[in-house]
Amino acid sequence: MGNLKPLEIVLIIAVILLLFGAKKLPDMARSLGKSARILKSEAKAMKKDDEPAATTDAAADPAAQQAAARTIQAAPGDVTSSRPVSEAKPTTQS
């Protein structure tokens, strides 16, 4: 972006507005922000999973930890997109 002149930036913004429309741009930005927050929280969770667990945490309530592990967390404040994860059922082959 350092090599772009102000006129070129205005032209790019005008083309984006023409392609997507002014009404859809806020929704697109909002969904992009939610996706970035979810990705960030999942990356933190993966780093946290790599760390050795304390013995007091594991002995505290294993049922609650198992239930929490089965839920995909959404962005903070967004309860509509969090959903339980169904576990794979073993299949029998005949």
Side-chain angles (χ1 to χ4, degrees):
M1 294 263 326
N3 295 337
L4 293 178
K5 298 176 183 170
L7 181 61
E8 293 170 342
I9 294 173
V10 170
L11 250 150
I12 291 171
I13 292 172
V15 168
I16 291 173
L17 281 173
L18 287 174
L19 288 176
F20 297 110
K23 290 183 180 181
K24 290 191 179 186
L25 285 178
D27 293 334
M28 289 173 51
R30 196 173 298 116
S31 64
L32 183 65
K34 283 182 183 180
S35 299
R37 280 192 299 262
I38 291 171
L39 180 66
K40 185 178 177 181
S41 67
E42 290 297 322
K44 283 183 181 180
M46 287 176 64
K47 286 181 183 178
K48 188 177 181 182
D49 288 344
D50 289 342
E51 295 174 359
T55 57
T56 57
D57 291 341
D61 192 6
Q65 289 177 354
Q66 187 178 15
R70 292 183 185 162
T71 303
I72 296 175
Q73 297 296 324
D78 183 23
V79 295
T80 59
S81 62
S82 65
R83 61 191 185 280
V85 177
S86 60
E87 294 186 14
K89 297 180 181 178
T91 58
T92 58
Q93 295 181 0
S94 323

